[in-house]
Amino acid sequence: MSQNSALAQQAQAAARVAAESAGVLVSNEGSLAGFLEIETLFNTVWRLPPGESVIPSELLCSIGHAGCNVTVARDQAGRLVGAAAAIVTPSSPSKKIASMYSLIAGVLPGNSDHGVGFALKQHQRAWGLDRDLSEMTWTFDPLVSRNARFNLTKLGAHASEYAVDFYGPMMGEMNANDPSDRLVAVWPLTSDESAACSEDRPVAVGLPDFGLHDVLRLGPDGEPAFVAANGALWCRVPTDIVALRGLDPRLAARWRLSVRAILTDVFASGHVARGVSRDGWYRLAPGGTA
C-alpha cells in the first residue's frame, strides 16, 4: 500500500479519466498471447524488417514475471493500440529513491493523436505511486519534437543529460543511419507539475519575441535555432525529423550535430530542459528554476 495514499488516489483517478478520454481500456498485461501482440505492435511502430524485434515477447514475459510493469491499451473492440514496459530500479548510495525505468512505449500508427500514449503513461504513474516509486526515467531522441513536447510539456518531465549515440547503431526505417543520441527524461511522479499535467493542466510553453541580438546560433537551415529570451535559452529542432531523414539525410545529419553541440554545452552550464513548444523550441531554464 502506498505511503502517500492521497497522491496515489489522485493518480488513479487521473489515469481513469485519461483512458476514458482516449476511448481505450488500459490495464496490466500478464499473458503470453498479450506479450506476442505487444512485440508485433512495437515492430510495426518502429518499422522493423522481418526477423527483427524491438523487444521480444520472451523478455516482456520475464519483465512481467519479475513484478515489473507491462501496460497495454485496447480499443473498445479489444484491439491492441498501445503498450509500454518499465522496470523497477532500486535505491542506491548515489540514487536515494527507488524509481521506474521506462524501457519502451509505443502507439499503433493512426492512434497517436487520440491520447493513447498519455493514458499509458498515466497508468504507469499510478502503478508506480501505488508502489511508493517517486520517479520515472527514460530516453528519447531530442530531434523528434513531437515526442519531446509530449515528455517535457504534456507529462511534466525534465531533462539535463545528453547521451551521445546511446544505443549505438539501430535497426529500422525510423533510426537507420543516424546516431542514436538521446536525452534522459526524468519524470517526478509526485511533483505538483506532474499532478497538474495528469489532469490535462500543463504549463504553457511558447517562444517569446526576440530580436536579432538575441540569436546565438543559426540552424542548418539558416534560420535562428538558438536564442536567449525572457530569462531562458531556447533551442529549435526540426518539426518532423523522421520525414527529413527520408527527404534529405545530409541535412538531418547536420541537425543532429547542431543540436548535440547546443544541448551538451547548455546542460554543462547547469540549464535544464523544462518544456517544448508546439513549433519545436526547447525551453532551457537555469538549474533550480521552473
Side-chain angles (χ1 to χ4, degrees), residues 18 29 45 49 51 67 84-85 100 124 165 181 184 190 192 196 200-201 223 236 241 245 255 258 269 273 288:
E29 182 57 68
V45 171
M100 299 172 68
Q124 287 188 309
D165 205 19
D181 288 16
V184 179
T190 60
D192 291 342
D200 200 23
R201 296 183 288 112
E223 298 296 323
R236 179 172 61 91
I241 188 63
R245 285 171 183 152
W255 271 109
S258 174
S269 71

Side-chain angles (χ1 to χ4, degrees), residues 42-50 52-55 171-173:
F42 286 151
N43 292 346
T44 300
V45 171
W46 270 265
R47 306 177 190 175
L48 290 191
E52 299 290 339
S53 182
V54 178
I55 184 167
M171 300 296 293
E173 183 180 333

Side-chain angles (χ1 to χ4, degrees), residues 209 254 288:
D209 293 334
R254 291 199 295 274

Side-chain angles (χ1 to χ4, degrees), residues 41-224:
L41 181 141
F42 286 151
N43 292 346
T44 300
V45 171
W46 270 265
R47 306 177 190 175
L48 290 191
E52 299 290 339
S53 182
V54 178
I55 184 167
S57 58
E58 299 94 325
L59 180 54
L60 290 167
C61 183
S62 297
I63 291 169
H65 188 251
C68 296
N69 177 265
V70 182
T71 299
V72 293
R74 297 183 181 276
D75 63 18
Q76 299 303 314
R79 184 182 64 136
L80 183 69
V81 294
I87 59 175
V88 175
T89 59
S91 59
S92 67
S94 61
K95 190 176 181 66
K96 302 300 183 182
I97 60 173
S99 61
M100 299 172 68
Y101 187 90
S102 177
L103 297 174
I104 190 169
V107 176
L108 194 68
N111 295 270
S112 57
D113 292 326
H114 300 161
V116 178
F118 185 72
L120 287 168
K121 299 310 289 185
Q122 295 310 320
H123 180 90
Q124 287 188 309
R125 174 173 177 262
W127 187 95
L129 288 173
D130 195 46
R131 291 158 177 80
D132 289 318
L133 306 176
S134 56
E135 184 178 276
M136 179 188 287
T137 60
W138 64 89
T139 64
F140 67 96
D141 187 339
L143 293 185
V144 182
S145 62
R146 180 190 184 93
N147 289 351
R149 182 177 180 274
F150 177 80
N151 294 331
L152 305 188
T153 300
K154 184 74 172 174
L155 294 180
H158 59 267
S160 60
E161 180 182 349
Y162 192 104
V164 176
D165 205 19
F166 183 71
Y167 293 108
M170 297 184 69
M171 300 296 293
E173 183 180 333
M174 293 178 64
N175 296 299
N177 302 316
D178 187 30
S180 57
D181 288 16
R182 295 292 184 266
L183 290 190
V184 179
V186 178
W187 192 22
L189 304 181
T190 60
S191 73
D192 291 342
E193 181 180 0
S194 294
C197 287
S198 75
E199 298 171 353
D200 200 23
R201 296 183 288 112
V203 176
V205 178
L207 178 69
D209 293 334
F210 65 89
L212 289 177
H213 62 283
D214 298 315
V215 178
L216 304 177
R217 187 177 300 185
L218 300 179
D221 57 1
E223 298 296 323

Side-chain angles (χ1 to χ4, degrees), residues 238-270:
T239 55
D240 190 344
I241 188 63
V242 176
L244 184 60
R245 285 171 183 152
L247 293 172
D248 192 340
R250 291 185 178 180
L251 179 58
R254 291 199 295 274
W255 271 109
R256 173 67 74 199
L257 296 178
S258 174
V259 172
R260 178 192 291 175
I262 292 170
L263 292 184
T264 51
D265 285 350
V266 168
F267 290 156
S269 71

